[in-house]
Amino acid sequence: MSLLHASSPHTHAATSTGRIMGWVLLATLPGILVATFHFGWGVLINVLFAAVAGVILEAGVLRLRQRPLGMTLRDNSALVTGVLLGVSLPPFVPWWLILVGMVAAIVVAKHLFGGLGQNPFNPAMVGYALLLIAFPVDMTQWAAPLGLFGADAIAPGDALRHFLGLIAPTDAMTGATPLDAFKHKGETLLASEFWAADPLPPGTLDAWHDVALAWLAGGALLLVKHIITWHIPASLLGSLTLLASVLYAIDPSHFETPLFHLLSGAAIFGAFFIATDPVSAATSRRGKLWYGAGIGLLIMVIRPTGAYPDAVAFAVLLMNFAVPFIDYYTQPRTYGHAQANRGIKVRQLDDDEELP
Amino acid sequence: MADFDFPGGIMPPERKTLSNQAPLVKAPLPARVMLPLTQHVGQPAEPVVSVGQTVRTGEIIACAQGMISAPVHASITGTVTAIEERAVPHPSAAVGEAKALCIVIEGNGQDDDWQRMPPLDWRSASDEALLERLQSSGVVGLGGAGFPAAVKAQVRQRHAIDTLIVNAAECEPYITADDLTLRTYPGDVIEGARMLARLCGAERILIGIEDNKPEAVAALRQALSTSNDTTPVELKVVATRYPSGGESQLIQKLTGREVPSRGLPADVGLLCHNPGTLLASLRAVRDGEPMISRIVTLTGEALTRPGNLEARLGTPLHALLSLAGLRPARLSQLILGGPMMGFTLDSDALPLVKTANCLIAGTADEFPPAPPEQACIRCGACETACPASLLPQQLYWFSKSREHDKAELFNLFDCIECGACAYVCPSHIPLVQYYRAAKGEIRLHEREARKAEHARHRFEFRQARMAREEAEKEARRKARLQQARASRPAPEQRKAAVSPTPSDTPQSDSQDSAAELKKLKIAQAAAKAAVRKAERALARASEGGQDPSADVNDLETQLATARENLKATETRLAALQSRTAPAATQPASTTATGPGVPASQSMPTGTTTEDTAKQVRQRKIAVASAQAAYRKAEKALESAAAQNDDATLAAARQKFERAQGNLDRARKALEEAETTAHEPKDTSTP
Amino acid sequence: MLEWLTAHGILAATLALLGLAVAFGALLGFAGQVFKVEGDPVVERIDALLPQTQCGQCGYPGCKPYAEAIVQGDDINKCPPGGDATIAALADLLGREPKPLDGEAQDIPRVAYIREEECIGCTKCIQACPVDAILGAAKHMHTVIVDECTGCDLCVEPCPVDCIDMLPHPDLAKQWHWPRPPGPGHRPSQPIAATLIASDRQPAPEERAHG
């Protein structure tokens, strides 16, 4: 006869990391589907390939590190990283570019730092940032919103050929993102003049709005299922909106409206799916507010002034750097303490030394 | 309906209907009982019976020992068959380490011959009588910690208590012992609460109960409506959420107050009691029945007849389990306590102890083994669940990597180990075990460091003492020699006898001795400085007063060391001076012997300013050590009072008064010395 | 002057460096005088890491002398009571390589215990005890203050009647704490062999009488 011996508690909620990641995957579906609907099969191909590459790379690294495969693969974290990176990439990028990004994400950003739970930086964003810096041309040409089945739409076969690098996309197929277009409008051009000139392929702005709203729906699912808390999305979008409003109020001819900043880029996606990555985000609730606000602020600093049109990846990575600092200064007030601990205390060695 | 709330918390499946359907029944008398002497917090009780002795039910078989302790009573009538080390219920039992002295009594059939104490009417009885009764009846907190009720009842000597809280929340799943206690004896529990409220000076009673016990609430309402007493009793039904029955959490929920970190509820004017404790206290006073039984929940799906039993303490658990219809084939986990905070047992041959409120015989389906631990993804579920507003994921990180100082910085020791974090963890990390391990390591490390430090100081003291003894021996020898030389007409012969000492001839090596004199003087100054420093440290420690007396003890050792060093150098110096300047022999020798006597007594009356300064200093030390002694006595008095032992109480009080007198005297002496120290200065400066 | 310097760049650089060296040297010297620390702080810190049993197993008459010897270059692995933990801490402090312990590691803390009926009151152990943890007078039985005993063994040797035993520390049972979980990838609970008693109501006495 043998009895089970364990430390309390002896019961556990029916939950697991794999299930949480599963909900995250489910929540990305509306965004992926709407993006595919507007920008063609390329989006779906990217997502699927990145996800598969993520799992294969994770398995390979785990084997190299001589860690058990099954349990770690079942936590679905590599799938999530793959999906998040895949959906961030332009629809025409070749397969090898995605693979490079995934290697940077899974091998470098995740496993070289010790695997799941130990990575200080968001793996998907490390991959994305690397690709953006290494292949700026491929990474900044987005697709025109040609749809899936319309007359101008790219056939699945063509999309696959783009993916395999067999053919290059024609000019008619590509189009800048609204943020990119606005960034390169030229100093003298006023915003109103710029939009009056209709610089983007028809339907681009609406397509981006739809995608952003789809991400918002997915984010709402995460909130409802308590996968994420409201702190990071709210503070991120809040600080972004606030700063965009201030800038717009100061100079409406050169800065865009807050709504444009919210809906025409990766702000919503980043707020609900990227910045909320728990491993690389701040820990405490108050810390999360600061962390999100910092990202929102950085986005609004980088978008008008930086070299790249969108800034979510850089903002998230920069705030990842700040997480340990934020964590030390935003501990909650523990029960029974008059105030919260702040910062790192150095234990004094000789405090009994005093002047006679 | 509670006005306040605590953060976090979880709602695990309650599973209380398993055991709260059947009425409370009395278990049949066990054939034998095993009574551990450590069923409470504090010192183990001391056996007062011998093997072979016949004992009656309710007779004291082991008496309380030390300040915090509780006696043990025979729970059946029979013969003591053994007093030996036996396995007892303890978390470490499963690794085979927990043994404690137990008294085994073999019952003689169905005979239950009671030895009761005379009944008391608590309304008319004096506080002392009530405390004495609580102490001698061995009542301890039945909620789990097992803190002696008599000690707890004495808090008013230290703290003003305004509210007595009856903790009937019983938030852990499965457990229904308090529920059934309240349903069966609502009036007695309320009366017990009134009694303890009077004893601790509380003006009102708050009963906190979760809303999943409607029958108990109804019974309490009924009992409250019929009782006629002046103490206001308020029944607060709180929403069911684990861990609302945690002492700190219930206090926060009912009153909005927070128990300070590492403090007691009494620090915020509250006292918490479990209904079972109140019932046992009342029975001890009203019926004169010592604590020999308790109400225990037997539950779990491996039992066919789960329910609550009122069982004699010391009953083997297997007897209780078989009463509840255990199906051994289905049993996979035996848990003492609740599923959230209880611990697993490796045997059912252990005795029922005072703190055992629930025994769960779980099946494999009911308590599946926890899945393998996965990496922490810092999802924050634990932080949301934590009722103490800690950051469990950070604590886990630091505990795992043994960064103990950081774990403490993140308030590891404010963790109440409720298990909410581990319950919700999606990575199935046994978080609480990590915290327990880290806490244990920190405590062990602290204890070892303290011990090592103390040993070092004792070693230094010994060396200083030996040096002083050596110096004194040398000085005495020299003095004898000189005396002999002075009295004898023929110094050459004596000199020949002691020639090995080279510095004996002052003429030849006066330079040597001058250098040595200088060196010794420097050493003396350094030693004086060391003494001053040690005195200051001691004074500061005794003024600060927050640390236990161990610290003061250690500082006293250090001070003694410094004094020994000073004495040694002074003795050597005096000896040398007496040799180099024979004219000054007399005064030097007095100072040489002086340090043996307390300096304040040997102080000459015609004092120089230096002397008065010294005197002030010495009196300051005297005040400091008197203060330390006063504090110690105060503490001893408190704990003695808590223990409700008249003899120790009287002794402690005496000691306390003496310490108080000493302190006053020392203070007065210091004042005097200070005024005399100032006066000459004032006159000399102009 | 300035022109000459610009003409001879290498000399200018050398002069500048020299000037800096002099300035910082003066600053360092000044700081060294002002913030002078009495005694050797390294010795103190080493001493703080040693277990203070004062047992002399390192070959020095106490922990402090050994700490001084370590500063002079002696090995850090000569302290059996401290064991590997102390060696690791010393290696950490001094930046040296941890070495395997020189001598036999002590498994559990022990204290001296005098069999009082056999003690003849010779006071030899009292003189040997480095921390004054033995009480007694000549011709009277001695006893060990358990709380003060460091378990150094030094009293065992001088006892003429061998009445001193080294026994496990009585507090050992109180020092139990939960062990650290095995870590990620492992199950935190494990089955243990249990002793269950058949649930018949009258088990045979010997069947129950285990402890």
Side-chain angles (χ1 to χ4, degrees):
Chain A
M1 184 74 207
S2 71
L3 293 174
L4 216 53
H5 168 57
S7 177
S8 66
H10 306 289
T11 57
H12 298 274
T15 160
S16 74
T17 314
R19 201 176 295 190
I20 286 182
M21 297 290 181
W23 278 108
V24 175
L25 288 175
L26 199 67
T28 57
L29 275 186
I32 294 172
L33 292 180
V34 172
T36 309
F37 177 75
H38 282 298
F39 298 110
W41 297 107
V43 176
L44 200 61
I45 293 173
N46 283 355
V47 168
L48 291 177
F49 178 71
V52 171
V55 173
I56 292 172
L57 282 169
E58 172 115 332
V61 180
L62 283 174
R63 168 148 297 179
L64 275 178
R65 292 179 66 204
Q66 298 174 346
R67 298 293 154 97
L69 283 183
M71 193 185 85
T72 316
L73 285 183
R74 268 199 300 277
D75 67 26
N76 292 339
S77 61
L79 265 180
V80 170
T81 305
V83 168
L84 293 181
L85 180 59
V87 82
S88 320
L89 298 176
F92 301 115
V93 291
W95 64 272
W96 53 265
L97 192 138
I98 302 178
L99 192 63
V100 169
M102 285 310 292
V103 168
I106 298 286
V107 180
V108 178
K110 187 175 173 188
H111 279 286
L112 287 191
F113 285 94
L116 181 64
Q118 323 235 19
N119 45 303
F121 302 105
N122 188 318
M125 287 304 102
V126 168
Y128 181 82
L130 177 102
L131 292 178
L132 191 60
I133 294 167
F135 310 101
V137 177
D138 294 284
M139 290 294 290
T140 48
Q141 87 180 351
W142 202 267
L146 299 175
L148 280 181
F149 308 109
D152 304 327
I154 305 161
D158 283 345
L160 208 60
R161 256 166 270 170
H162 290 141
F163 168 70
L164 293 173
L166 300 177
I167 54 170
T170 61
D171 279 352
M173 295 175 192
T174 62
T177 65
L179 279 168
D180 198 14
F182 189 76
K183 177 155 206 75
H184 296 107
K185 71 177 166 56
E187 277 298 304
T188 50
L189 211 57
L190 293 180
S192 50
E193 295 166 5
F194 174 73
W195 291 119
D198 217 4
L200 292 166
T204 301
L205 270 178
D206 289 337
W208 278 96
H209 290 177
D210 289 352
V211 172
L213 292 175
W215 286 121
L216 189 63
L221 176 70
L222 291 183
L223 278 177
V224 167
K225 296 304 292 180
H226 294 291
I227 307 292
I228 60 171
T229 58
W230 56 269
H231 302 80
I232 293 180
S235 64
L236 193 160
L237 297 176
S239 78
L240 187 142
T241 313
L242 184 75
L243 205 63
S245 309
V246 169
L247 290 177
Y248 185 68
I250 292 170
D251 187 359
S253 56
H254 281 96
F255 292 104
E256 256 304 341
T257 60
L259 206 62
F260 175 83
H261 278 295
L262 281 178
L263 295 180
S264 301
I268 302 257
F269 171 65
F272 285 95
F273 290 88
I274 300 296
T276 51
D277 164 36
V279 177
S280 54
T283 316
S284 66
R285 275 163 262 189
R286 215 147 44 87
K288 281 176 179 154
L289 287 177
W290 284 108
Y291 174 76
I295 294 175
L297 185 102
L298 281 175
I299 291 176
M300 277 316 295
V301 168
I302 300 176
R303 273 187 182 172
T305 58
Y308 292 95
D310 206 348
V312 173
F314 294 117
V316 167
L317 290 176
L318 281 172
M319 285 310 287
N320 285 166
F321 275 108
V323 159
F325 172 78
I326 294 175
D327 279 349
Y328 275 124
Y329 281 89
T330 56
Q331 294 178 45
R333 183 186 68 84
T334 307
Y335 180 99
H337 287 258
Q339 57 194 23
N341 290 329
R342 294 281 152 80
I344 316 162
K345 277 184 206 118
V346 180
R347 210 171 264 178
Q348 221 122 47
L349 281 176
D350 319 307
D351 55 350
D352 60 339
E353 291 291 330
E354 63 174 46
L355 295 171
Chain B
M1 71 146 274
D3 317 321
F4 308 96
D5 209 350
F6 63 91
I10 53 171
M11 276 175 264
E14 292 173 20
R15 318 230 50 199
K16 285 183 189 270
T17 46
L18 262 182
S19 57
N20 70 4
Q21 303 300 314
L24 179 65
V25 287
K26 276 203 159 74
L29 280 184
R32 76 153 76 179
V33 292
M34 229 185 303
L35 292 156
L37 302 179
T38 49
Q39 298 183 51
H40 48 262
V41 169
Q43 295 263 330
E46 189 81 13
V48 290
V49 291
S50 48
V51 176
Q53 192 175 330
T54 319
V55 290
R56 294 164 66 198
T57 308
E59 194 176 329
I60 286 200
I61 53 173
C63 63
Q65 203 66 20
M67 303 181 183
I68 297 173
S69 186
V72 178
H73 301 76
S75 56
I76 54 170
T77 305
T79 317
V80 176
T81 53
I83 302 176
E84 61 190 21
E85 297 245 304
R86 295 222 172 173
V88 292
H90 187 269
S92 68
V95 273
E97 281 186 44
K99 295 210 167 179
L101 210 55
C102 292
I103 296 178
V104 185
I105 303 171
E106 197 79 42
N108 50 2
Q110 292 308 303
D111 197 12
D112 192 22
D113 180 18
W114 273 81
Q115 181 183 356
R116 285 193 176 81
M117 292 171 279
L120 279 175
D121 178 18
W122 66 267
R123 284 166 215 272
S124 56
S126 69
D127 283 6
E128 287 73 28
L130 287 179
L131 287 173
E132 148 71 23
R133 173 58 59 88
L134 285 181
Q135 167 65 23
S136 60
S137 55
V139 180
V140 303
L142 297 184
F147 195 80
V151 181
K152 211 167 170 178
Q154 280 166 322
V155 287
R156 71 186 302 183
Q157 292 166 344
R158 254 186 116 153
H159 303 276
I161 301 294
D162 57 66
T163 306
L164 180 98
I165 290 180
V166 182
N167 185 349
E170 198 162 56
C171 58
E172 273 221 53
Y174 283 92
I175 310 179
T176 55
D178 290 347
D179 186 7
L180 267 288
T181 306
L182 288 172
R183 283 193 215 179
T184 321
Y185 308 105
D188 287 0
V189 171
I190 290 173
E191 201 180 338
R194 291 208 151 109
M195 177 177 83
L196 286 181
R198 195 207 91 184
L199 206 50
C200 68
E203 292 142 14
R204 62 167 180 162
I205 297 168
L206 277 181
I207 305 176
I209 185 164
E210 279 191 344
D211 58 9
N212 59 1
K213 292 179 263 293
E215 292 92 342
V217 173
L220 281 173
R221 288 237 161 88
Q222 172 73 26
L224 280 175
S225 64
T226 53
S227 84
N228 45 351
D229 199 288
T230 48
T231 323
V233 181
E234 199 178 335
L235 182 65
K236 284 204 174 190
V237 184
V238 301
T240 301
R241 178 161 53 116
Y242 181 82
S244 64
E247 195 172 60
S248 321
Q249 277 62 43
L250 189 70
I251 286 172
Q252 191 173 19
K253 194 151 187 163
L254 295 184
T255 66
R257 301 179 205 174
E258 282 187 26
V259 181
S261 175
R262 302 198 186 201
L264 292 169
D267 293 335
V268 287
L270 301 170
L271 206 60
C272 245
H273 272 295
N274 172 277
T277 319
L278 299 174
L279 181 63
S281 303
L282 184 75
R283 282 183 178 172
V285 174
R286 186 189 61 190
D287 310 332
E289 284 180 14
M291 173 141 194
I292 56 150
S293 67
R294 71 154 296 142
I295 294 166
V296 57
T297 305
L298 295 162
T299 183
E301 286 178 358
L303 300 179
T304 48
R305 296 183 297 276
N308 282 275
L309 285 177
E310 186 167 352
R312 293 290 164 88
L313 297 173
T315 310
L317 296 183
H318 61 77
L320 296 175
L321 287 172
S322 62
L323 275 175
L326 174 72
R327 284 171 295 184
R330 299 201 57 194
L331 181 67
S332 106
Q333 204 169 18
L334 197 59
I335 302 167
L336 191 70
M340 298 303 295
M341 293 185 76
F343 52 89
T344 51
L345 301 177
D346 69 334
S347 159
D348 61 358
L350 305 168
L352 179 75
V353 292
K354 289 178 182 175
T355 50
N357 53 358
C358 180
L359 186 63
I360 306 175
T363 61
D365 300 335
E366 207 178 359
F367 294 102
E373 180 184 335
Q374 285 175 288
C376 170
I377 55 165
R378 315 210 319 157
C379 64
C382 47
E383 188 207 341
T384 320
C386 182
S389 300
L390 293 162
L391 292 176
Q393 65 274 62
Q394 301 289 79
L395 289 178
Y396 158 72
W397 191 269
F398 298 138
S399 304
K400 195 174 152 201
S401 55
R402 292 175 203 245
E403 290 176 81
H404 292 327
D405 45 344
K406 280 195 189 154
E408 281 189 81
L409 181 64
F410 277 73
N411 301 328
L412 174 65
F413 280 93
D414 288 302
C415 169
I416 57 167
E417 301 177 14
C418 67
C421 50
Y423 177 83
V424 297
C425 182
S427 297
H428 315 292
I429 303 170
L431 290 163
V432 176
Q433 194 181 343
Y434 275 104
Y435 307 151
R436 284 178 175 153
K439 283 182 185 176
E441 281 164 21
I442 291 173
R443 288 201 190 103
L444 198 67
H445 188 258
E446 274 176 2
R447 184 162 46 212
E448 267 167 15
R450 223 171 22 234
K451 248 185 106 169
E453 189 68 4
H454 187 60
R456 186 164 68 88
H457 292 144
R458 304 242 338 160
F459 178 63
E460 282 167 1
F461 170 70
R462 177 183 146 90
Q463 284 190 316
R465 175 176 60 81
M466 278 165 33
R468 195 251 310 154
E469 280 168 4
E470 188 61 33
E472 279 176 2
K473 219 190 274 174
E474 182 81 6
R476 275 201 299 277
R477 204 169 59 79
K478 292 272 165 63
R480 265 204 313 276
L481 189 66
Q482 232 151 34
Q483 242 168 19
R485 210 186 280 158
S487 55
R488 288 268 180 110
E492 292 85 8
Q493 284 174 337
R494 288 307 291 174
K495 216 195 274 176
V498 287
S499 54
T501 338
S503 59
D504 239 14
T505 43
Q507 294 87 356
S508 61
D509 41 28
S510 59
Q511 258 182 341
D512 257 12
S513 46
E516 206 186 328
L517 192 68
K518 200 173 160 194
K519 218 161 70 187
L520 274 174
K521 273 194 174 150
I522 293 168
Q524 187 195 24
K528 268 186 188 160
V531 170
R532 235 172 293 146
K533 194 174 150 190
E535 285 166 2
R536 253 206 321 273
L538 180 62
R540 219 176 329 148
S542 49
E543 265 162 39
Q546 79 272 61
D547 232 73
S549 55
D551 205 32
V552 176
N553 272 346
D554 199 45
L555 285 169
E556 274 167 4
T557 315
Q558 286 180 54
L559 177 59
T561 310
R563 283 201 183 131
E564 293 282 358
N565 276 330
L566 179 60
K567 265 183 231 165
T569 39
E570 272 176 354
T571 317
R572 272 202 213 104
L573 189 64
L576 195 65
Q577 275 171 339
S578 69
R579 240 178 317 127
T580 46
T585 302
Q586 270 335 93
S589 67
T590 47
T591 42
T593 52
V597 196
S600 52
Q601 290 169 25
S602 66
M603 193 71 69
T605 40
T607 48
T608 63
T609 43
E610 202 190 344
D611 280 342
T612 44
K614 198 172 166 192
Q615 196 177 4
V616 169
R617 213 164 48 235
Q618 261 153 355
R619 293 203 172 155
K620 264 187 192 159
I621 302 157
V623 170
S625 41
Q627 243 164 5
Y630 174 72
R631 285 232 168 77
K632 226 190 270 178
E634 197 179 14
K635 231 171 254 170
L637 179 66
E638 269 157 23
S639 40
Q643 195 196 343
N644 192 25
D645 180 349
D646 276 342
T648 22
L649 190 64
R653 197 161 282 159
Q654 226 167 25
K655 230 179 246 172
F656 176 73
E657 276 157 13
R658 215 177 313 138
Q660 214 168 9
N662 280 342
L663 180 60
D664 287 343
R665 268 197 297 284
R667 277 200 180 128
K668 225 171 272 167
L670 175 63
E671 271 166 32
E672 269 169 33
E674 268 173 345
T675 45
T676 47
H678 286 305
E679 273 162 12
K681 254 185 222 162
D682 289 343
T683 49
S684 59
T685 34
Chain C
M1 176 75 185
L2 210 64
E3 280 157 30
W4 183 82
L5 274 180
T6 41
H8 300 80
I10 186 85
L11 271 173
T14 316
L15 278 177
L17 279 178
L18 260 176
L20 281 176
V22 169
F24 281 110
L27 191 68
L28 275 178
F30 175 71
Q33 284 301 312
V34 171
F35 303 108
K36 192 173 175 188
V37 181
E38 292 298 330
D40 191 345
V42 180
V43 171
E44 299 290 330
R45 283 165 74 186
I46 294 174
D47 197 30
L49 293 178
L50 294 174
Q52 305 298 336
T53 47
Q54 319 293 352
C55 63
Q57 290 181 63
C58 51
Y60 296 95
C63 293
K64 185 109 184 237
Y66 179 43
E68 280 157 5
I70 289 177
V71 173
Q72 302 297 321
D74 201 352
D75 281 338
I76 56 173
N77 60 346
K78 294 187 173 175
C79 181
D84 290 332
T86 298
I87 294 176
L90 286 173
D92 204 34
L93 175 70
L94 300 166
R96 297 192 198 168
E97 278 299 306
K99 292 178 183 174
L101 184 67
D102 182 17
E104 242 174 74
Q106 289 179 353
D107 42 356
I108 46 169
R110 293 177 183 276
V111 288
Y113 174 78
I114 297 176
R115 290 196 299 278
E116 293 176 349
E117 62 277 14
E118 289 172 38
C119 174
I120 53 169
C122 67
T123 75
K124 284 203 169 116
C125 56
I126 296 180
Q127 288 159 32
C129 181
V131 290
D132 284 346
I134 304 180
L135 285 181
K139 304 272 169 64
H140 287 83
M141 167 191 93
H142 306 335
T143 192
V144 176
I145 312 170
V146 174
D147 282 346
E148 310 284 5
C149 177
T150 64
C152 68
D153 276 3
L154 290 179
C155 52
V156 176
E157 192 61 30
C159 181
V161 291
D162 280 341
C163 72
I164 302 180
D165 296 321
M166 297 306 291
L167 298 179
H169 200 283
D171 279 354
L172 218 55
K174 285 188 210 153
Q175 290 175 8
W176 181 87
H177 63 79
W178 278 97
R180 195 172 289 272
H186 299 271
R187 283 180 185 277
S189 57
Q190 67 250 11
I192 39 158
T195 44
L196 279 195
I197 289 162
S199 52
D200 57 336
R201 296 288 300 277
Q202 276 84 35
E206 61 271 20
E207 207 181 329
R208 287 189 300 169
H210 73 93

